[in-house]
Amino acid sequence: MGSSSSSMDHIPNAEELMQETGFSAAHLLRLYERFEFLDKDQTGELRPEDFGAIGGLALNPIGDRIISAFFSPGQETVDFPSFVRVLAHFRPNGTNRTRNGTQQEPVNSRTRKLKFAFQLYDQDRDGKISRAELLQVLRAMLGIQVTEEQLQSIAERAIQEADLDRDDAISFDEFKKVQQVSPHPQTPTKETPLHPTEGGR
Amino acid sequence: MPSRTCSHSPSGFGKSLPEQGLLLLVVLVLLEGSVLPLGAASSPDVSHQDDSHNHKVADHGVNATKKVFPVLDVDYHHIQTPFEISLWVLLASLMKLGFHLIPRLSSIVPESCLLIVVGLLVGGLIKLAGEQVPPVLDSRLFFLCLLPPIILDAGYFLPIRPFMENVGTILMFAVVGTVWNAFFVGGLLYAVCQIQPANPSSLHSIELLHCLLFGSIISAVDPVAVLAVFEEIHINELLHILVFGESLLNDAVTVVLYHLFVEYAGVGTVTVMDGFLGVISFLVVALGGVLVGAIYGILAAFTSRFTSHTRVIEPLFVFVYSYMAYLSAEMFHLSGIMALIACGAVMRPYVEANISHKSHTTIKYFLKMWSSVSETLIFIFLGVATVDGPHSWNWTFVTVTVILCLVARVIGVVGLTYIINKFRIVKLTTKDQFIVAYGGLRGAIAFSLGFLLDQNQFAHRKMFLTAIITVIFFTVFVQGMTIKPLVELLAVKKKQEAKRSINEEIHTQFLDHLLTGIEDICGHYGHHHWKDKLNRFNKKYVKKCLIAGERSKEPQLIAFYHKMEMKQAIELVESGGGVKLPSAVPSTVSMQNIQPKKPPPAKAAERALPQLPKGREEEIRKILRSNLQRTRQRLRSYNRHTLVADPYEDGFSDLLIKKQKMIELEKKIKEMNNYLTVPAAPPDSPTMCRARLASGRDTDFKPAQQQKGNKICPDPQAYSMKPVSDSVPVIQVDLASPQSPDSVNVMDEFRRANQEEDQGLMMKPPQGSSGSNKPGEADTTRDQQRLMRCLSDPGPSADEDEDEPFLP
């Protein structure tokens, strides 16, 4: 681990990023190191293959969706700021560092997190989770052990439960409402890996 | 059951005849209990005299008169012990009955207080009768008989997910908090005792170690008391699991400290080495207990895999293995409580996948029953022991103890929370801290531990006991009674009666995957990563070993979904009579009592619903309203004692939807003339009918055809379903259909079982089953069996943890 000041210089727009995402310098540094680790051919940008190299992600049923969430539509690569911005969604609440009076919602508010999750469902970005999209997710998560009929019925039921305006799809508001009682979609560990005591590969 | 109106009258208790009868019964029982021993004392003399008389007579020779054949003889001693035990249990149960008949009382005063008062009364009565008060809270009886059922009940139905999410916090409170309490109370008590200026009281002679021992006894939060009080206040899940978890896990600490100080109090000194050994001992005790429990749990799970042919004794395995885990742990001086918890928690997911629904019900009911009775008995005995116990009141000691306990608890909680909040995501607010501190109740465990002390070794045992009892009384009465209003006052978040919808389930799993993925990207092996690994391990190896047959491969989501559909199907069938109302009211079905929240039913039905005549709607609304009133009074939220979940906490919208479904079914029933008197709907709920329709398997209507006699119901039209609504995909409830291959297991099971007997436990139409209903019922019962196989008891956190992977 190099001295923080010199490494920080490598990070483009570090100050800005910190402001925008709320990460501390230490966090940012750590993420940068991780970014560099993933970036095998040192281009300064990540490609889907780089993500795919992560072992756990390959086993993850929604791994490919997560990967594609990093890439804005049309883009082939992810640079560090985008990387950090996406990950900023998962910074736990309560550690919001005061910004210079940003009025917009903090990046890791509950709504933003739900929006992020919603976008993972909603692959075609039309603002609604259609039955087909839900089916895809279910298929991915449940694997091959389940028959098509079962999947259909589950998807059907899920839509019926959530779909309040009867358009046969789940909009973001309906999605939010259903998740009212769910726990915060936060990773409890986002803070801790950046503490020397707990983090570690 | 006395009608509600009666018990609401201001003069309440004793007004109605059954209640008077109950009161009379209780008094009789009490009298009997106290008088019989007196009678027993005299009877031996009588029989003795008889004997001697007879001998004398016999000696006189042949012409002696035949001795009078004892037509009626009283031989109390023969049955004394079991009789007295039964008497106590009966008393406890009657008390419970009695309390719930007095609604206002039970809402003000927690049950535990009332029971202690009863115990005091009984003890007083016995003393008045001049009899020796039996040493009821004998430590062996307590630890070996009374405590295990409660702990097993708690462990088996422990909501794993919240527990595991907060395990760090819980451990901190349990371990560090208890140690802090013990030393603080013990140390300061010693100091206070020493500084007694004027009167050279006996307090001066207390040694430090004795004080520390006392401190460790008194500092443990008691699971029984916590359960008893927290059950009634319906606090939010987080707080509940924090306090409750703490009370369970601090057993290890208490055991170690207790033994440590008892050992060394004799010697008089404790060295650093001893302290170090103490720490090691703690680890051994705690981890050893958990290990023992886990081993027995796995054994039980494994055994349950093979019980498909002997369903009747399945519950026995659960109970016996758990009890043996407890005893084994106690044998090695490990923490029996932790063993029991570990055993219950480990075996549950696998056992439930293996056992039949009936066994499941049996286990649930037996556990609830035993733990309920146990808890009642414990509190009554506390009261009795108070009357009896050797007391030595010392104002200073007792008051200082009480104050110190409170202060120590508050400081401990606040201090620990400050540290813990640095690591928590969902921080503990001040309100939370207050409730955690205030909920630190002491109970019978402390008393029993004190009772165990050797009088010779500990000269101040009596004083200790008095102080312990005072603290217990204080916490249970004062804190127990006031916590409910305080919770209201502080507007602490109450338990959300969240209906666990399929969306939640999907989303939770989705989130888990998502977070695991993010963790992988960040390169952090955190919480989710390990959880995921454990799940995978569980799925791949453990489930295969421990779960019989096909169910080992069933994904959790599917199981959950089945469950929901089944529940809904059953509700519809039960409510299908039209006048029969939302089936949360367990009018006909004992098993329905177990049923937790109802998920919102499929809304497609609404779309298909034709317009209702106005009058009809009004009628139904009226019925609904009246039933709503009635059932609100009768049902309460789930707690250990009633097992009935309050469906109406979910919201009224469910009711309206159900009403519409009901109307639908009504219409259908009208078309089936032969069933007007039998409110049980045919096995086809609209859901299932749609399923059959959509799948085009018209042949599946055989059971329906049988039911309808010769009238073959044209499927869709009977439900007034428009074809357009059949874009609804097939619902997999084909499981319900006899032809479905998946239902084979269940069917076999039922074929083997006595059909009549099944229906004894099963849902029956209120008017009894007519012959032609049988196939329909069998079908429904199959559904229900299938469902109940999955259903597990909703702990305070309701449905959430059913069928979750081992460590979600």
Side-chain angles (χ1 to χ4, degrees):
Chain A
M1 215 163 154
S3 76
S4 45
S5 55
S6 60
S7 303
M8 285 298 278
D9 297 338
H10 295 164
I11 306 174
N13 309 325
E15 275 304 313
E16 225 176 271
L17 273 179
M18 276 163 57
Q19 285 283 346
E20 187 186 335
T21 60
F23 281 125
S24 71
H27 295 183
L28 214 56
L29 198 55
R30 165 85 190 216
L31 286 174
Y32 190 69
E33 286 170 5
R34 182 66 180 170
F35 185 82
E36 290 197 312
F37 176 75
L38 290 175
D39 183 14
K40 293 281 183 327
D41 38 7
Q42 298 295 321
T43 55
E45 296 189 328
L46 292 179
R47 266 181 305 280
E49 301 84 65
D50 295 323
F51 281 105
I54 304 174
L57 225 46
L59 291 175
N60 199 316
I62 58 169
D64 45 354
R65 286 173 187 254
I66 300 177
I67 295 175
S68 62
F70 280 89
F71 297 87
S72 312
Q75 277 196 324
E76 289 289 314
T77 56
V78 180
D79 59 358
F80 183 64
S82 317
F83 183 70
V84 171
R85 274 188 209 110
V86 170
L87 287 178
H89 285 106
F90 295 95
R91 198 169 53 75
N93 279 338
T95 54
N96 288 323
R97 293 173 180 79
T98 49
R99 284 181 209 87
N100 48 359
T102 37
Q103 292 312 315
Q104 74 169 133
E105 221 173 335
V107 175
N108 63 340
S109 74
R110 182 180 166 83
T111 313
R112 290 289 206 100
K113 285 178 166 112
L114 284 176
K115 188 87 187 157
F116 185 79
F118 186 79
Q119 273 163 358
L120 285 185
Y121 280 100
D122 182 23
Q123 291 288 72
D124 58 2
R125 316 271 170 126
D126 62 352
K128 291 182 181 298
I129 304 177
S130 70
R131 185 167 299 151
E133 286 166 343
L134 192 58
L135 267 178
Q136 277 174 9
V137 170
L138 285 173
R139 207 171 281 129
M141 288 207 294
L142 293 174
I144 52 169
Q145 304 135 310
V146 184
T147 68
E148 191 59 32
E149 290 177 346
Q150 289 175 326
L151 280 181
Q152 295 271 5
S153 8
I154 295 183
E156 174 59 30
R157 195 198 174 100
I159 293 204
Q160 278 165 5
E161 271 180 8
D163 190 16
L164 301 169
D165 56 2
R166 313 283 182 80
D167 60 353
D168 222 28
I170 305 178
S171 71
F172 182 54
D173 289 323
E174 291 162 355
F175 185 72
K176 256 203 303 189
K177 201 171 297 189
V178 169
Q179 310 306 337
Q180 277 313 323
V181 294
S182 288
H184 274 217
Q186 296 163 333
T187 161
T189 59
K190 203 61 184 65
E191 281 294 289
T192 51
L194 309 173
H195 292 197
T197 48
E198 296 231 21
R201 295 184 210 151
Chain B
M1 280 295 273
S3 70
R4 283 297 106 193
T5 49
C6 222
S7 49
H8 271 303
S9 62
S11 34
F13 188 68
K15 268 300 169 184
S16 70
L17 203 53
E19 282 174 337
Q20 283 175 334
L22 191 61
L23 180 58
L24 195 58
L25 181 58
V26 168
V27 169
L28 276 176
V29 166
L30 284 174
L31 279 179
E32 190 189 6
S34 39
V35 162
L36 259 181
L38 290 177
S42 48
S43 69
D45 301 334
V46 173
S47 50
H48 191 66
Q49 275 173 8
D50 264 347
D51 274 11
S52 50
H53 177 74
N54 290 334
H55 280 306
K56 273 193 244 146
V57 165
D59 288 343
H60 282 277
V62 184
N63 58 351
T65 50
K66 231 167 48 174
K67 82 173 173 191
V68 176
F69 190 77
V71 175
L72 196 60
D73 199 8
V74 179
D75 186 4
Y76 184 65
H77 282 286
H78 184 58
I79 51 117
Q80 180 171 10
T81 317
F83 189 81
E84 287 182 348
I85 295 176
S86 310
L87 209 56
W88 281 113
V89 174
L90 190 60
L91 178 70
S93 317
L94 286 173
M95 285 299 123
K96 268 185 98 70
L97 273 186
F99 293 148
H100 287 279
L101 288 177
I102 320 173
R104 265 182 339 169
L105 191 60
S106 54
S107 61
I108 302 174
V109 185
E111 219 173 81
S112 38
C113 306
L114 292 171
L115 291 170
I116 294 187
V117 168
V118 167
L120 287 173
L121 285 174
V122 171
L125 266 176
I126 297 185
K127 258 222 162 117
L128 275 179
E131 272 294 309
Q132 169 77 309
V133 175
V136 280
L137 213 48
D138 172 43
S139 293
R140 275 194 69 203
L141 174 72
F142 178 76
F143 281 112
L144 294 182
C145 298
L146 291 179
L147 192 60
I150 301 179
I151 305 295
L152 179 60
D153 179 40
Y156 194 78
F157 296 117
L158 191 70
I160 298 273
R161 196 173 173 119
F163 186 78
M164 282 299 156
E165 281 175 5
N166 293 299
V167 77
T169 315
I170 294 177
L171 277 176
M172 274 288 272
F173 279 125
V175 177
V176 180
T178 312
V179 170
W180 155 259
N181 274 356
F183 281 95
F184 187 81
V185 172
L188 279 187
L189 209 54
Y190 179 68
V192 165
C193 290
Q194 294 299 48
I195 66 169
Q196 271 293 298
N199 35 356
S201 66
S202 57
L203 288 182
H204 283 268
S205 58
I206 297 189
E207 300 170 25
L208 177 62
L209 277 175
H210 290 211
C211 276
L212 286 176
L213 175 62
F214 177 74
S216 70
I217 295 178
I218 199 81
S219 64
V221 177
D222 185 82
V224 180
V226 163
L227 261 179
V229 168
F230 270 55
E231 275 299 329
E232 300 181 6
I233 61 178
H234 300 300
I235 210 163
N236 68 54
E237 185 182 77
L238 172 67
L239 287 178
H240 185 107
I241 200 72
L242 280 182
V243 182
F244 182 56
E246 179 196 344
S247 68
L248 289 175
L249 294 188
N250 66 17
D251 180 58
V253 180
T254 313
V255 164
V256 169
L257 282 178
Y258 182 79
H259 284 291
L260 194 74
F261 288 130
V262 164
E263 275 291 314
Y264 295 123
V267 179
T269 51
V270 181
T271 65
V272 176
M273 186 61 184
D274 297 327
F276 185 64
L277 279 177
V279 172
I280 305 273
S281 165
F282 164 70
L283 286 172
V284 167
V285 162
L287 295 175
V290 171
L291 190 66
V292 167
I295 292 177
Y296 274 98
I298 296 195
L299 278 177
F302 191 65
T303 313
S304 73
R305 186 180 165 178
F306 302 106
T307 56
S308 47
H309 299 283
T310 45
R311 295 281 182 194
V312 192
I313 56 172
E314 270 171 345
L316 195 64
F317 286 118
V318 171
F319 300 139
V320 171
Y321 273 113
S322 313
Y323 194 49
M324 287 194 66
Y326 181 76
L327 294 175
S328 309
E330 288 289 323
M331 174 168 69
F332 294 111
H333 276 283
L334 304 174
S335 167
I337 290 185
M338 291 184 84
L340 213 43
I341 302 276
C343 185
V346 165
M347 81 168 127
R348 183 177 173 207
Y350 308 109
V351 161
E352 290 203 340
N354 282 329
I355 62 177
S356 74
H357 71 290
K358 276 192 283 187
S359 305
H360 174 86
T361 314
T362 311
I363 292 178
K364 181 193 278 202
Y365 268 99
F366 262 90
L367 280 180
K368 298 296 175 195
M369 181 182 77
W370 274 332
S371 68
S372 210
V373 169
S374 238
E375 183 185 298
T376 315
L377 274 177
I378 287 180
F379 282 114
I380 293 186
F381 286 171
L382 255 181
V384 172
T386 311
V387 169
D388 167 47
H391 288 301
S392 155
W393 182 270
N394 184 309
W395 277 102
T396 327
F397 192 78
V398 173
T399 47
V400 169
T401 307
V402 174
I403 297 175
L404 279 181
C405 278
L406 284 175
V407 170
R409 177 91 182 147
V410 170
I411 298 180
V413 169
V414 170
L416 281 176
T417 314
Y418 179 72
I419 303 176
I420 289 172
N421 268 345
K422 296 205 170 74
F423 298 101
R424 279 183 67 90
I425 299 177
V426 181
K427 314 272 183 214
L428 294 175
T429 65
T430 319
K431 265 194 253 173
D432 294 338
Q433 292 173 38
F434 176 75
I435 297 290
V436 171
Y438 206 68
L441 305 173
R442 313 316 201 253
I445 291 187
F447 181 80
S448 307
L449 283 177
F451 206 78
L452 267 178
L453 291 175
D454 184 7
Q455 178 67 35
N456 301 326
Q457 205 183 4
F458 300 93
H460 298 275
R461 176 172 171 266
K462 288 192 193 156
M463 194 168 66
F464 287 175
L465 280 179
T466 312
I468 292 175
I469 289 197
T470 314
V471 172
I472 294 179
F473 270 48
F474 182 81
T475 56
V476 172
F477 278 90
V478 173
Q479 287 179 240
M481 276 205 272
T482 55
I483 198 170
K484 193 160 185 173
L486 273 173
V487 162
E488 304 280 336
L489 192 67
L490 292 175
V492 177
K493 257 193 301 189
K494 290 279 195 108
K495 180 165 58 164
Q496 280 171 315
E497 298 297 337
K499 43 185 197 278
R500 179 82 165 177
S501 68
I502 191 93
N503 272 297
E504 262 189 67
E505 187 69 28
I506 296 178
H507 189 69
T508 312
Q509 282 209 10
F510 187 83
L511 262 183
D512 279 344
H513 288 305
L514 172 62
L515 291 176
T516 312
I518 296 285
E519 275 188 11
D520 284 331
I521 293 180
C522 294
H524 177 70
Y525 292 142
H527 185 68
H528 284 92
H529 179 93
W530 293 116
K531 223 161 63 165
D532 195 55
K533 271 217 157 109
L534 192 62
N535 276 351
R536 253 187 255 283
F537 175 71
N538 188 27
K539 208 185 292 188
K540 211 162 156 206
Y541 300 111
V542 184
K543 274 193 179 168
K544 289 228 172 71
C545 280
L546 298 180
I547 300 184
E550 280 303 304
R551 286 187 62 104
S552 60
K553 298 208 199 66
E554 195 176 54
Q556 174 201 338
L557 197 60
I558 296 293
F560 182 80
Y561 177 73
H562 282 174
K563 218 181 309 173
M564 291 179 82
E565 283 291 313
M566 292 300 175
K567 268 184 234 162
Q568 190 190 331
I570 291 173
E571 288 152 25
L572 285 175
V573 172
E574 237 234 328
S575 65
V579 288
K580 271 289 158 189
L581 271 231
S583 58
V585 180
S587 45
T588 51
V589 176
S590 58
M591 281 186 78
Q592 293 301 93
N593 279 342
I594 311 173
Q595 201 176 57
K597 330 288 176 291
K598 290 176 296 310
K603 295 199 184 167
E606 279 175 68
R607 284 177 240 175
L609 214 49
Q611 279 300 87
L612 289 172
K614 276 287 175 206
R616 194 49 156 157
E617 259 197 66
E618 256 322 295
E619 192 184 332
I620 295 206
R621 246 185 230 128
K622 220 187 326 164
I623 298 176
L624 271 175
R625 229 180 291 130
S626 62
N627 252 37
L628 187 63
Q629 246 177 342
R630 250 186 288 133
T631 52
R632 265 241 167 87
Q633 294 152 11
R634 208 173 344 143
L635 301 179
R636 50 189 81 192
S637 302
Y638 174 77
N639 67 25
R640 294 166 54 231
H641 307 290
T642 58
L643 282 179
V644 177
D646 186 341
Y648 296 112
E649 293 187 19
D650 280 355
F652 206 66
S653 57
D654 280 351
L655 264 182
L656 295 176
I657 294 167
K658 279 212 179 356
K659 161 191 88 179
Q660 283 166 330
K661 282 218 126 168
M662 234 168 47
I663 296 166
E664 210 175 278
L665 274 173
E666 245 189 8
K667 290 170 87 79
K668 194 197 175 243
I669 284 168
K670 277 212 182 93
E671 295 181 23
M672 301 188 312
N673 301 330
N674 12 345
Y675 291 91
L676 280 181
T677 56
V678 179
D684 303 319
S685 72
T687 332
M688 294 186 221
C689 195
R690 250 184 294 136
R692 296 229 173 81
L693 165 71
S695 66
R697 308 220 292 198
D698 294 334
T699 50
D700 285 2
F701 268 92
K702 285 206 197 70
Q705 286 173 8
Q706 287 173 24
Q707 275 204 46
K708 294 159 191 162
N710 295 326
K711 181 179 176 193
I712 293 181
C713 178
D715 347 330
Q717 279 66 13
Y719 292 95
S720 47
M721 293 281 225
K722 305 188 180 41
V724 75
S725 67
D726 296 322
S727 60
V728 162
V730 172
I731 291 201
Q732 184 260 330
V733 186
D734 271 352
L735 276 183
S737 111
Q739 280 78 8
S740 158
D742 291 354
S743 65
V744 164
N745 294 351
V746 185
M747 273 170 61
D748 287 344
E749 181 182 318
F750 284 96
R751 293 233 177 84
R752 237 176 281 128
N754 182 355
Q755 200 67 10
E756 289 308 316
E757 195 191 316
D758 278 359
Q759 294 179 351
L761 268 188
M762 277 307 112
M763 196 161 59
K764 261 206 258 275
Q767 267 79 351
S769 53
S770 54
S772 46
N773 243 355
K774 274 245 163 51
E777 273 191 10
D779 215 9
T780 322
T781 54
R782 261 195 291 278
D783 298 344
Q784 205 182 12
Q785 314 290 22
R786 193 70 206 231
L787 159 66
M788 292 306 173
R789 168 189 273 260
C790 312
L791 258 190
S792 45
D793 180 285
S797 56
D799 255 344
E800 296 165 22
D801 296 296
E802 297 173 8
D803 277 354
E804 285 206 4
F806 167 40
L807 274 187

